[in-house]
């Protein structure tokens, strides 16, 4: 039987070279990792380089945090830093790079932050359709019930893509009500005084007086926008002030597991529906402690409770509070969405699966 522990770790070495190490640096680093605390001679034999070259390479690796060199003893001992420490800075740099590139990507896609005044009703409806069709994670929408047929197909396409759709309707008449099946995860009615609004992915949207899309269309105008700060405030105000006033008329069934989400509200809604169906499930969370600049790491545990006001009965202390309590097996922690400040952890991505 071959000794597989002596075979070169080529995929790992190749990955290390992709992140900036030379082949010899990668071989030397893996030699230290695989042999634990080792002398320079041992590392040199394993990596196939000279002993003097090992010192040169390890000095550079030590400067980058990959190894420590104990030259206060004879012979010199080289130790690999724990991987969580060695690659922690790299993870932070990649998170920073991801954020910077994503900002440039969105700016290039949308032409940067934009605001547009729209007066024509057909143009407003086209803007609604365009924003809904571009949504990747979330659609939050309030409009007169009579406008649903204009955008029904866009809403159904969004639902088929796995987008969370929260829909509230004004001027709802049961005798002439449009079909609501398949267009939203949750629907509320009775918000007759609420302005029309749309926010998608907490970035793009539209807002207008209630009359703009109503049958008594007047000279009022709508504003469409692409700006994260505006969308976030709009969604927070809507969920905190308008959504709780509506009467719930439709809630979708929970999806089959596993499911993955970037938008935390979708995590909270699905967790609520699964819990009410009596299912046990585990959350795999790409998370970090709130208020910290640490890198995001995997946090896994069973979801034991939910705080939310997305579906009735709600139990949050304020309108836009959405959080989970997760039992990791060692302790229970609270988790919220990206940018959370009340919970123990903030989350960028979540997978829900059966235990």
């Amino acid at each position: 039987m071959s000794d597989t522990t002596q075979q070169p770790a080529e995929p790992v070495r190749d990955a290390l070279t992709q992140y900036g190490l030379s082949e010899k640096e990668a071989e030397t680093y893996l030699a230290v990792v695989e042999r634990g605390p080792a002398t320079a001679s041992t590392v040199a034999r394993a990596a196939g380089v000279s002993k003097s070259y090992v010192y040169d390479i390890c000095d550079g690796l030590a400067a980058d945090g990959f190894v420590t060199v104990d030259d206060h003893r004879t012979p010199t001992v080289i130790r690999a830093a724990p991987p969580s420490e060695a690659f922690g800075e790299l993870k932070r740099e990649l998170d920073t790079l991801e954020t910077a590139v994503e900002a440039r990507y969105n700016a290039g896609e949308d032409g940067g932050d934009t605001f547009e005044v729209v007066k024509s009703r057909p143009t407003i409806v086209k803007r609604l359709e365009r924003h809904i069709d571009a949504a990747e994670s979330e659609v939050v929408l309030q409009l007169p019930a009579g406008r649903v047929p204009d955008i029904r197909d866009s809403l159904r396409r969004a639902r088929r893509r796995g987008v969370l759709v929260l829909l509230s309707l004004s001027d709802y008449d049961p005798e002439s009500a449009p079909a609501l099946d398949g267009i939203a995860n949750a629907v509320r009615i009775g918000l007759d005084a609420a302005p029309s609004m749309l926010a998608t992915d907490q970035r793009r949207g539209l807002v207008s007086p209630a009359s703009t899309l109503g049958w008594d269309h007047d000279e009022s105008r709508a504003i469409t926008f692409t700006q994260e700060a505006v969308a976030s405030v709009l969604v927070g105000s809507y969920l905190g002030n308008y959504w709780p006033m509506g009467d719930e008329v439709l809630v979708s069934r929970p999806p089959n597991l596993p499911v993955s989400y970037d938008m935390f509200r979708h995590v909270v809604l699905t967790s609520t529906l699964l819990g009410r169906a009596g299912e046990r499930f585990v959350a795999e969370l790409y998370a970090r402690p709130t208020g910290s600049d640490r890198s995001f790491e995997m946090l896994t545990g069973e979801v034991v409770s939910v705080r939310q006001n997305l579906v009735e009965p709600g139990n949050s202390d304020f309108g836009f509070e959405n959080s989970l309590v997760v039992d990791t097996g060692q302790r229970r922690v609270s988790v919220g969405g990206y940018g959370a400040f009340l919970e123990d952890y903030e989350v960028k991505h979540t997978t829900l699966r059966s235990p």
Side-chain angles (χ1 to χ4, degrees), residues 328-348:
T328 67
Q330 298 176 326
R331 59 191 180 116
R332 292 190 174 188
V333 297
S334 59
V335 296
Y338 187 58
F341 55 92
L342 292 177
E343 292 77 21
D344 299 320
Y345 287 84
E346 63 172 333
V347 177
K348 287 182 69 174

Side-chain angles (χ1 to χ4, degrees), residues 199-212:
T200 64
D201 299 340
Q202 288 202 146
R203 177 160 178 78
R204 310 171 187 85
L206 176 149
V207 63
S208 73
S211 59
T212 306

